[in-house]
Amino acid sequence: MFPLRRNRRLRTNEAIRSMVRETIISPNDFIVPLFIVEGKNVKEEIGSMPGYFRYSLDNIEKEVKELWKLGLKSVLLFVKVADDLKDNAGKEAINPEGLMQRAVKTVKNAVPDMIVMTDVALDPYSQYGHDGIIDDGKVLNDDTSAVLAEMSLSHAKAGADFVAPSDMMDGRIFEIRSLLEDEGFHDTGIMSYSAKYASAFYGPFRDALDSAPVDAKNIPKNKKTYQMDPSNRDEAIRETLMDIDEGADIVMVKPGLCYLDIVRDIKNTVNVPVSVYQVSGEYAMIKAASEKGWLDHDAVILEQLTAIKRAGADMIASYFAKDAVKLIS
Ligand code: PBG
């Protein structure tokens, strides 16, 4: 009771504030998403993600060495696939010589201890820009899961430490885990995008990979039949518990900032590590507002990342990872 208790005593100066600080972000917290393209010496800026780039394999080598020096220990790989390799079956996704498979080897060669995670979903490979095989206007669940399992296996064979299915088909974690076990990849982990919402914040990412759903007859205009309804909270728990039962080592909530209530619900419910994806639209908003001089870029990113961790994230996939570790070092 006041004045016996004056809360401001513990805020008097930075020394005491740092001693009572409850949430501290460190390089150990981050997963760095990387966009990879074919070519030589490519480093092209993504229009809707200022300061973020697509790299060719030779440049990715330099980039991951730099990340490792900064103390960052994990990367999450995404590839931009040439149009003529896209189809409705995910054929290129399981090509042992595909860009993703080569990228895994490149990163592992450059920095053997770097944890390499791979995106597992068909959208970059789909002529329709969907995360699954389409038949008669529908995204097929089980047929898609079977391809995702093959895709995961090919990533494991290339040397991936974790596969990260981002598609939201039902039962795909079980399919993937079963095939990895059958083939002897007992130590290849699964980070499941378990509570992934049908969010409007993925726009810049779809620019980066040219992977947005195409506007064509009998092709779903959005991903609402597989990604979750932003209105739902109980469903996030159901999805996450199922993925853990099916063999997920790490679960995920995505996007970040608008879904921190979900992050806390999940953190309080499960006993596996929880990751959070601070997505491309969250990145773009901060970039745009700070370019206009309306927000303090560095302060805002540290505040948002701290909030994500405070909500319950054990790890954060973030396009700001590099900025953040430079700021906190
Ligand atoms: C696709 C995928 C998406 C993201 C990661 N994997 C986009 C989508 O579901 O349409 C979004 C990441 C971001 O916006 O930063 N499987």
Side-chain angles (χ1 to χ4, degrees), residues 35 49 78 119-121 123-124 131 166-167 193 196 201-203 205-206 223 227 254 277-281 319:
F35 297 119
M49 300 181 73
F78 296 93
D119 184 59
V120 172
D123 49 321
D131 293 42
S166 67
D167 58 291
Y193 289 59
K196 175 171 176 176
F201 286 99
Y202 306 149
F205 173 96
R206 294 175 190 171
K223 301 188 176 183
Q227 298 179 350
K254 179 185 176 188
Y277 202 136
Q278 183 192 43
V279 302
S280 58
Y319 304 103

PDB file of all heavy atoms in Angstrom, residues 35 49 78 119-121 123-124 131 166-167 193 196 201-203 205-206 223 227 254 277-281 319, ligand 1:
ATOM      1  N   PHE A  35      15.819 -15.641 -47.925  1.00  0.00           N
ATOM      2  CA  PHE A  35      15.223 -15.875 -49.245  1.00  0.00           C
ATOM      3  C   PHE A  35      16.327 -16.154 -50.249  1.00  0.00           C
ATOM      4  O   PHE A  35      17.280 -15.382 -50.353  1.00  0.00           O
ATOM      5  CB  PHE A  35      14.433 -14.641 -49.683  1.00  0.00           C
ATOM      6  CG  PHE A  35      13.270 -14.319 -48.791  1.00  0.00           C
ATOM      7  CD1 PHE A  35      13.204 -13.119 -48.107  1.00  0.00           C
ATOM      8  CD2 PHE A  35      12.228 -15.224 -48.635  1.00  0.00           C
ATOM      9  CE1 PHE A  35      12.127 -12.821 -47.276  1.00  0.00           C
ATOM     10  CE2 PHE A  35      11.141 -14.938 -47.808  1.00  0.00           C
ATOM     11  CZ  PHE A  35      11.092 -13.739 -47.124  1.00  0.00           C
ATOM     12  N   MET A  49       9.846  -5.062 -48.763  1.00  0.00           N
ATOM     13  CA  MET A  49      10.608  -5.326 -47.529  1.00  0.00           C
ATOM     14  C   MET A  49      11.949  -4.593 -47.586  1.00  0.00           C
ATOM     15  O   MET A  49      13.008  -5.219 -47.721  1.00  0.00           O
ATOM     16  CB  MET A  49      10.841  -6.834 -47.348  1.00  0.00           C
ATOM     17  CG  MET A  49       9.567  -7.653 -47.240  1.00  0.00           C
ATOM     18  SD  MET A  49       9.882  -9.418 -46.995  1.00  0.00           S
ATOM     19  CE  MET A  49      10.455  -9.437 -45.289  1.00  0.00           C
ATOM     20  N   PHE A  78      13.886 -20.207 -47.420  1.00  0.00           N
ATOM     21  CA  PHE A  78      12.786 -20.133 -48.388  1.00  0.00           C
ATOM     22  C   PHE A  78      13.399 -19.948 -49.765  1.00  0.00           C
ATOM     23  O   PHE A  78      14.359 -19.190 -49.913  1.00  0.00           O
ATOM     24  CB  PHE A  78      11.891 -18.922 -48.095  1.00  0.00           C
ATOM     25  CG  PHE A  78      11.189 -18.986 -46.765  1.00  0.00           C
ATOM     26  CD1 PHE A  78      11.755 -18.401 -45.644  1.00  0.00           C
ATOM     27  CD2 PHE A  78       9.961 -19.621 -46.639  1.00  0.00           C
ATOM     28  CE1 PHE A  78      11.114 -18.460 -44.406  1.00  0.00           C
ATOM     29  CE2 PHE A  78       9.311 -19.681 -45.406  1.00  0.00           C
ATOM     30  CZ  PHE A  78       9.886 -19.098 -44.291  1.00  0.00           C
ATOM     31  N   ASP A 119      11.689 -24.403 -45.050  1.00  0.00           N
ATOM     32  CA  ASP A 119      10.248 -24.259 -45.221  1.00  0.00           C
ATOM     33  C   ASP A 119       9.724 -25.456 -46.012  1.00  0.00           C
ATOM     34  O   ASP A 119      10.265 -25.794 -47.061  1.00  0.00           O
ATOM     35  CB  ASP A 119       9.922 -22.969 -45.979  1.00  0.00           C
ATOM     36  CG  ASP A 119       8.422 -22.746 -46.080  1.00  0.00           C
ATOM     37  OD1 ASP A 119       7.769 -22.658 -45.030  1.00  0.00           O
ATOM     38  OD2 ASP A 119       7.900 -22.669 -47.215  1.00  0.00           O
ATOM     39  N   VAL A 120       8.678 -26.065 -45.491  1.00  0.00           N
ATOM     40  CA  VAL A 120       8.033 -27.172 -46.207  1.00  0.00           C
ATOM     41  C   VAL A 120       6.593 -26.753 -46.508  1.00  0.00           C
ATOM     42  O   VAL A 120       5.758 -26.682 -45.616  1.00  0.00           O
ATOM     43  CB  VAL A 120       8.068 -28.470 -45.371  1.00  0.00           C
ATOM     44  CG1 VAL A 120       7.226 -29.556 -46.035  1.00  0.00           C
ATOM     45  CG2 VAL A 120       9.500 -28.946 -45.182  1.00  0.00           C
ATOM     46  N   ALA A 121       6.355 -26.430 -47.764  1.00  0.00           N
ATOM     47  CA  ALA A 121       5.011 -26.065 -48.237  1.00  0.00           C
ATOM     48  C   ALA A 121       5.118 -25.955 -49.752  1.00  0.00           C
ATOM     49  O   ALA A 121       6.206 -25.710 -50.288  1.00  0.00           O
ATOM     50  CB  ALA A 121       4.535 -24.744 -47.646  1.00  0.00           C
ATOM     51  N   ASP A 123       3.531 -23.760 -51.815  1.00  0.00           N
ATOM     52  CA  ASP A 123       3.191 -22.495 -52.501  1.00  0.00           C
ATOM     53  C   ASP A 123       4.287 -21.926 -53.419  1.00  0.00           C
ATOM     54  O   ASP A 123       3.978 -21.468 -54.511  1.00  0.00           O
ATOM     55  CB  ASP A 123       2.650 -21.440 -51.531  1.00  0.00           C
ATOM     56  CG  ASP A 123       3.498 -21.245 -50.292  1.00  0.00           C
ATOM     57  OD1 ASP A 123       4.004 -22.247 -49.763  1.00  0.00           O
ATOM     58  OD2 ASP A 123       3.657 -20.104 -49.848  1.00  0.00           O
ATOM     59  N   PRO A 124       5.575 -21.965 -53.024  1.00  0.00           N
ATOM     60  CA  PRO A 124       6.558 -21.416 -53.964  1.00  0.00           C
ATOM     61  C   PRO A 124       6.679 -22.261 -55.244  1.00  0.00           C
ATOM     62  O   PRO A 124       7.189 -21.796 -56.254  1.00  0.00           O
ATOM     63  CB  PRO A 124       7.879 -21.461 -53.186  1.00  0.00           C
ATOM     64  CG  PRO A 124       7.520 -21.754 -51.784  1.00  0.00           C
ATOM     65  CD  PRO A 124       6.196 -22.451 -51.794  1.00  0.00           C
ATOM     66  N   ASP A 131      -0.740 -23.719 -51.063  1.00  0.00           N
ATOM     67  CA  ASP A 131       0.144 -24.600 -50.297  1.00  0.00           C
ATOM     68  C   ASP A 131      -0.153 -26.079 -50.532  1.00  0.00           C
ATOM     69  O   ASP A 131       0.394 -26.935 -49.831  1.00  0.00           O
ATOM     70  CB  ASP A 131       0.024 -24.298 -48.791  1.00  0.00           C
ATOM     71  CG  ASP A 131       0.569 -22.922 -48.448  1.00  0.00           C
ATOM     72  OD1 ASP A 131       0.302 -21.973 -49.209  1.00  0.00           O
ATOM     73  OD2 ASP A 131       1.251 -22.787 -47.418  1.00  0.00           O
ATOM     74  N   SER A 166       4.768 -25.298 -43.196  1.00  0.00           N
ATOM     75  CA  SER A 166       4.044 -24.032 -43.005  1.00  0.00           C
ATOM     76  C   SER A 166       2.708 -24.025 -43.730  1.00  0.00           C
ATOM     77  O   SER A 166       2.140 -22.989 -44.006  1.00  0.00           O
ATOM     78  CB  SER A 166       4.907 -22.870 -43.511  1.00  0.00           C
ATOM     79  OG  SER A 166       5.072 -22.946 -44.911  1.00  0.00           O
ATOM     80  N   ASP A 167       2.197 -25.224 -44.021  1.00  0.00           N
ATOM     81  CA  ASP A 167       1.070 -25.358 -44.954  1.00  0.00           C
ATOM     82  C   ASP A 167      -0.307 -25.461 -44.303  1.00  0.00           C
ATOM     83  O   ASP A 167      -1.306 -25.139 -44.916  1.00  0.00           O
ATOM     84  CB  ASP A 167       1.288 -26.636 -45.755  1.00  0.00           C
ATOM     85  CG  ASP A 167       1.396 -27.803 -44.783  1.00  0.00           C
ATOM     86  OD1 ASP A 167       2.407 -27.866 -44.037  1.00  0.00           O
ATOM     87  OD2 ASP A 167       0.446 -28.603 -44.694  1.00  0.00           O
ATOM     88  N   TYR A 193       4.437 -25.131 -38.049  1.00  0.00           N
ATOM     89  CA  TYR A 193       3.586 -23.945 -38.003  1.00  0.00           C
ATOM     90  C   TYR A 193       2.226 -24.469 -37.570  1.00  0.00           C
ATOM     91  O   TYR A 193       1.398 -24.852 -38.392  1.00  0.00           O
ATOM     92  CB  TYR A 193       3.462 -23.316 -39.387  1.00  0.00           C
ATOM     93  CG  TYR A 193       4.670 -22.609 -39.951  1.00  0.00           C
ATOM     94  CD1 TYR A 193       5.886 -23.269 -40.139  1.00  0.00           C
ATOM     95  CD2 TYR A 193       4.588 -21.270 -40.360  1.00  0.00           C
ATOM     96  CE1 TYR A 193       6.972 -22.612 -40.695  1.00  0.00           C
ATOM     97  CE2 TYR A 193       5.681 -20.615 -40.929  1.00  0.00           C
ATOM     98  CZ  TYR A 193       6.870 -21.296 -41.094  1.00  0.00           C
ATOM     99  OH  TYR A 193       7.932 -20.661 -41.658  1.00  0.00           O
ATOM    100  N   LYS A 196      -1.253 -21.270 -37.425  1.00  0.00           N
ATOM    101  CA  LYS A 196      -0.960 -20.282 -38.464  1.00  0.00           C
ATOM    102  C   LYS A 196      -2.274 -19.729 -38.992  1.00  0.00           C
ATOM    103  O   LYS A 196      -3.131 -20.473 -39.468  1.00  0.00           O
ATOM    104  CB  LYS A 196      -0.164 -20.928 -39.594  1.00  0.00           C
ATOM    105  CG  LYS A 196       0.058 -19.977 -40.764  1.00  0.00           C
ATOM    106  CD  LYS A 196       1.032 -20.533 -41.782  1.00  0.00           C
ATOM    107  CE  LYS A 196       1.145 -19.616 -42.980  1.00  0.00           C
ATOM    108  NZ  LYS A 196       2.151 -20.097 -43.933  1.00  0.00           N
ATOM    109  N   PHE A 201      -1.171 -10.144 -43.231  1.00  0.00           N
ATOM    110  CA  PHE A 201       0.190  -9.645 -43.008  1.00  0.00           C
ATOM    111  C   PHE A 201       1.261 -10.413 -43.784  1.00  0.00           C
ATOM    112  O   PHE A 201       2.444 -10.192 -43.570  1.00  0.00           O
ATOM    113  CB  PHE A 201       0.523  -9.685 -41.509  1.00  0.00           C
ATOM    114  CG  PHE A 201      -0.165  -8.601 -40.721  1.00  0.00           C
ATOM    115  CD1 PHE A 201      -1.327  -8.860 -40.013  1.00  0.00           C
ATOM    116  CD2 PHE A 201       0.347  -7.309 -40.694  1.00  0.00           C
ATOM    117  CE1 PHE A 201      -1.965  -7.857 -39.285  1.00  0.00           C
ATOM    118  CE2 PHE A 201      -0.281  -6.305 -39.973  1.00  0.00           C
ATOM    119  CZ  PHE A 201      -1.440  -6.568 -39.268  1.00  0.00           C
ATOM    120  N   TYR A 202       0.855 -11.341 -44.650  1.00  0.00           N
ATOM    121  CA  TYR A 202       1.853 -12.114 -45.404  1.00  0.00           C
ATOM    122  C   TYR A 202       2.157 -11.520 -46.774  1.00  0.00           C
ATOM    123  O   TYR A 202       2.930 -12.093 -47.545  1.00  0.00           O
ATOM    124  CB  TYR A 202       1.399 -13.571 -45.618  1.00  0.00           C
ATOM    125  CG  TYR A 202       1.012 -14.333 -44.363  1.00  0.00           C
ATOM    126  CD1 TYR A 202       0.038 -15.329 -44.416  1.00  0.00           C
ATOM    127  CD2 TYR A 202       1.634 -14.079 -43.145  1.00  0.00           C
ATOM    128  CE1 TYR A 202      -0.326 -16.045 -43.282  1.00  0.00           C
ATOM    129  CE2 TYR A 202       1.268 -14.787 -42.000  1.00  0.00           C
ATOM    130  CZ  TYR A 202       0.285 -15.765 -42.072  1.00  0.00           C
ATOM    131  OH  TYR A 202      -0.070 -16.467 -40.953  1.00  0.00           O
ATOM    132  N   GLY A 203       1.525 -10.390 -47.096  1.00  0.00           N
ATOM    133  CA  GLY A 203       1.663  -9.831 -48.444  1.00  0.00           C
ATOM    134  C   GLY A 203       3.101  -9.662 -48.927  1.00  0.00           C
ATOM    135  O   GLY A 203       3.450 -10.150 -50.017  1.00  0.00           O
ATOM    136  N   PHE A 205       5.836 -11.077 -48.051  1.00  0.00           N
ATOM    137  CA  PHE A 205       6.472 -12.386 -48.238  1.00  0.00           C
ATOM    138  C   PHE A 205       6.088 -12.975 -49.606  1.00  0.00           C
ATOM    139  O   PHE A 205       6.913 -13.537 -50.320  1.00  0.00           O
ATOM    140  CB  PHE A 205       6.031 -13.337 -47.128  1.00  0.00           C
ATOM    141  CG  PHE A 205       6.481 -14.771 -47.275  1.00  0.00           C
ATOM    142  CD1 PHE A 205       7.618 -15.224 -46.641  1.00  0.00           C
ATOM    143  CD2 PHE A 205       5.738 -15.675 -48.039  1.00  0.00           C
ATOM    144  CE1 PHE A 205       8.030 -16.547 -46.771  1.00  0.00           C
ATOM    145  CE2 PHE A 205       6.135 -16.999 -48.171  1.00  0.00           C
ATOM    146  CZ  PHE A 205       7.283 -17.434 -47.530  1.00  0.00           C
ATOM    147  N   ARG A 206       4.822 -12.833 -49.952  1.00  0.00           N
ATOM    148  CA  ARG A 206       4.368 -13.383 -51.243  1.00  0.00           C
ATOM    149  C   ARG A 206       4.983 -12.606 -52.400  1.00  0.00           C
ATOM    150  O   ARG A 206       5.213 -13.162 -53.475  1.00  0.00           O
ATOM    151  CB  ARG A 206       2.837 -13.407 -51.297  1.00  0.00           C
ATOM    152  CG  ARG A 206       2.260 -14.399 -50.273  1.00  0.00           C
ATOM    153  CD  ARG A 206       0.735 -14.373 -50.220  1.00  0.00           C
ATOM    154  NE  ARG A 206       0.242 -15.155 -49.080  1.00  0.00           N
ATOM    155  CZ  ARG A 206      -1.019 -15.179 -48.679  1.00  0.00           C
ATOM    156  NH1 ARG A 206      -1.929 -14.472 -49.329  1.00  0.00           N
ATOM    157  NH2 ARG A 206      -1.377 -15.910 -47.644  1.00  0.00           N
ATOM    158  N   LYS A 223      -6.408 -18.361 -48.594  1.00  0.00           N
ATOM    159  CA  LYS A 223      -5.991 -19.625 -47.985  1.00  0.00           C
ATOM    160  C   LYS A 223      -6.865 -20.016 -46.791  1.00  0.00           C
ATOM    161  O   LYS A 223      -6.442 -20.743 -45.903  1.00  0.00           O
ATOM    162  CB  LYS A 223      -4.512 -19.530 -47.589  1.00  0.00           C
ATOM    163  CG  LYS A 223      -3.580 -19.231 -48.777  1.00  0.00           C
ATOM    164  CD  LYS A 223      -2.104 -19.339 -48.396  1.00  0.00           C
ATOM    165  CE  LYS A 223      -1.211 -19.137 -49.618  1.00  0.00           C
ATOM    166  NZ  LYS A 223       0.231 -19.317 -49.276  1.00  0.00           N
ATOM    167  N   GLN A 227      -5.590 -22.229 -43.638  1.00  0.00           N
ATOM    168  CA  GLN A 227      -5.065 -21.412 -42.538  1.00  0.00           C
ATOM    169  C   GLN A 227      -6.219 -21.006 -41.612  1.00  0.00           C
ATOM    170  O   GLN A 227      -7.377 -20.946 -42.018  1.00  0.00           O
ATOM    171  CB  GLN A 227      -4.342 -20.188 -43.108  1.00  0.00           C
ATOM    172  CG  GLN A 227      -3.142 -20.602 -43.965  1.00  0.00           C
ATOM    173  CD  GLN A 227      -2.410 -19.426 -44.585  1.00  0.00           C
ATOM    174  OE1 GLN A 227      -2.863 -18.289 -44.546  1.00  0.00           O
ATOM    175  NE2 GLN A 227      -1.256 -19.720 -45.173  1.00  0.00           N
ATOM    176  N   LYS A 254       1.748 -17.832 -35.563  1.00  0.00           N
ATOM    177  CA  LYS A 254       2.085 -16.934 -36.660  1.00  0.00           C
ATOM    178  C   LYS A 254       0.822 -16.243 -37.140  1.00  0.00           C
ATOM    179  O   LYS A 254      -0.176 -16.926 -37.339  1.00  0.00           O
ATOM    180  CB  LYS A 254       2.704 -17.766 -37.788  1.00  0.00           C
ATOM    181  CG  LYS A 254       3.079 -16.973 -39.009  1.00  0.00           C
ATOM    182  CD  LYS A 254       3.567 -17.908 -40.080  1.00  0.00           C
ATOM    183  CE  LYS A 254       3.842 -17.092 -41.327  1.00  0.00           C
ATOM    184  NZ  LYS A 254       4.128 -17.918 -42.464  1.00  0.00           N
ATOM    185  N   TYR A 277       6.466 -16.358 -35.266  1.00  0.00           N
ATOM    186  CA  TYR A 277       6.960 -15.756 -36.509  1.00  0.00           C
ATOM    187  C   TYR A 277       6.458 -14.325 -36.584  1.00  0.00           C
ATOM    188  O   TYR A 277       5.262 -14.077 -36.712  1.00  0.00           O
ATOM    189  CB  TYR A 277       6.462 -16.563 -37.703  1.00  0.00           C
ATOM    190  CG  TYR A 277       7.279 -16.408 -38.978  1.00  0.00           C
ATOM    191  CD1 TYR A 277       7.617 -17.521 -39.739  1.00  0.00           C
ATOM    192  CD2 TYR A 277       7.721 -15.156 -39.434  1.00  0.00           C
ATOM    193  CE1 TYR A 277       8.367 -17.405 -40.917  1.00  0.00           C
ATOM    194  CE2 TYR A 277       8.466 -15.032 -40.590  1.00  0.00           C
ATOM    195  CZ  TYR A 277       8.795 -16.163 -41.327  1.00  0.00           C
ATOM    196  OH  TYR A 277       9.526 -16.047 -42.483  1.00  0.00           O
ATOM    197  N   GLN A 278       7.406 -13.390 -36.456  1.00  0.00           N
ATOM    198  CA  GLN A 278       7.076 -11.980 -36.706  1.00  0.00           C
ATOM    199  C   GLN A 278       7.153 -11.811 -38.229  1.00  0.00           C
ATOM    200  O   GLN A 278       8.230 -11.833 -38.802  1.00  0.00           O
ATOM    201  CB  GLN A 278       8.099 -11.079 -36.005  1.00  0.00           C
ATOM    202  CG  GLN A 278       7.809  -9.599 -36.143  1.00  0.00           C
ATOM    203  CD  GLN A 278       9.002  -8.754 -35.701  1.00  0.00           C
ATOM    204  OE1 GLN A 278      10.143  -9.068 -36.039  1.00  0.00           O
ATOM    205  NE2 GLN A 278       8.756  -7.696 -34.972  1.00  0.00           N
ATOM    206  N   VAL A 279       6.017 -11.659 -38.883  1.00  0.00           N
ATOM    207  CA  VAL A 279       5.962 -11.874 -40.328  1.00  0.00           C
ATOM    208  C   VAL A 279       6.289 -10.621 -41.142  1.00  0.00           C
ATOM    209  O   VAL A 279       6.479  -9.526 -40.595  1.00  0.00           O
ATOM    210  CB  VAL A 279       4.597 -12.454 -40.762  1.00  0.00           C
ATOM    211  CG1 VAL A 279       4.319 -13.768 -40.047  1.00  0.00           C
ATOM    212  CG2 VAL A 279       3.475 -11.444 -40.550  1.00  0.00           C
ATOM    213  N   SER A 280       6.297 -10.838 -42.448  1.00  0.00           N
ATOM    214  CA  SER A 280       6.745  -9.805 -43.388  1.00  0.00           C
ATOM    215  C   SER A 280       5.946  -8.506 -43.274  1.00  0.00           C
ATOM    216  O   SER A 280       6.507  -7.415 -43.368  1.00  0.00           O
ATOM    217  CB  SER A 280       6.668 -10.348 -44.818  1.00  0.00           C
ATOM    218  OG  SER A 280       5.344 -10.768 -45.124  1.00  0.00           O
ATOM    219  N   GLY A 281       4.631  -8.607 -43.063  1.00  0.00           N
ATOM    220  CA  GLY A 281       3.819  -7.388 -42.964  1.00  0.00           C
ATOM    221  C   GLY A 281       4.153  -6.593 -41.713  1.00  0.00           C
ATOM    222  O   GLY A 281       4.069  -5.362 -41.700  1.00  0.00           O
ATOM    223  N   TYR A 319      12.659 -10.954 -39.340  1.00  0.00           N
ATOM    224  CA  TYR A 319      13.496 -10.265 -40.328  1.00  0.00           C
ATOM    225  C   TYR A 319      14.352  -9.197 -39.660  1.00  0.00           C
ATOM    226  O   TYR A 319      15.214  -8.613 -40.304  1.00  0.00           O
ATOM    227  CB  TYR A 319      12.609  -9.655 -41.420  1.00  0.00           C
ATOM    228  CG  TYR A 319      11.724 -10.698 -42.080  1.00  0.00           C
ATOM    229  CD1 TYR A 319      10.370 -10.811 -41.775  1.00  0.00           C
ATOM    230  CD2 TYR A 319      12.273 -11.604 -42.992  1.00  0.00           C
ATOM    231  CE1 TYR A 319       9.573 -11.780 -42.352  1.00  0.00           C
ATOM    232  CE2 TYR A 319      11.487 -12.583 -43.579  1.00  0.00           C
ATOM    233  CZ  TYR A 319      10.130 -12.661 -43.250  1.00  0.00           C
ATOM    234  OH  TYR A 319       9.355 -13.640 -43.822  1.00  0.00           O
TER     235      TYR A 319
HETATM  236  C1  PBG B   1       3.812 -20.185 -47.073  1.00  0.00           C
HETATM  237  C2  PBG B   1       4.404 -19.273 -46.075  1.00  0.00           C
HETATM  238  C3  PBG B   1       3.977 -17.964 -45.876  1.00  0.00           C
HETATM  239  C4  PBG B   1       4.803 -17.422 -44.921  1.00  0.00           C
HETATM  240  C5  PBG B   1       5.711 -18.399 -44.527  1.00  0.00           C
HETATM  241  N1  PBG B   1       5.443 -19.561 -45.264  1.00  0.00           N
HETATM  242  C6  PBG B   1       2.917 -17.186 -46.557  1.00  0.00           C
HETATM  243  C7  PBG B   1       1.597 -17.763 -46.714  1.00  0.00           C
HETATM  244  O1  PBG B   1       1.172 -18.639 -45.957  1.00  0.00           O
HETATM  245  O2  PBG B   1       0.917 -17.338 -47.651  1.00  0.00           O
HETATM  246  C8  PBG B   1       4.679 -16.000 -44.449  1.00  0.00           C
HETATM  247  C9  PBG B   1       5.860 -15.381 -43.836  1.00  0.00           C
HETATM  248  C10 PBG B   1       5.822 -13.910 -43.783  1.00  0.00           C
HETATM  249  O3  PBG B   1       4.837 -13.230 -44.160  1.00  0.00           O
HETATM  250  O4  PBG B   1       6.830 -13.364 -43.341  1.00  0.00           O
HETATM  251  N2  PBG B   1       3.700 -21.501 -46.789  1.00  0.00           N
END
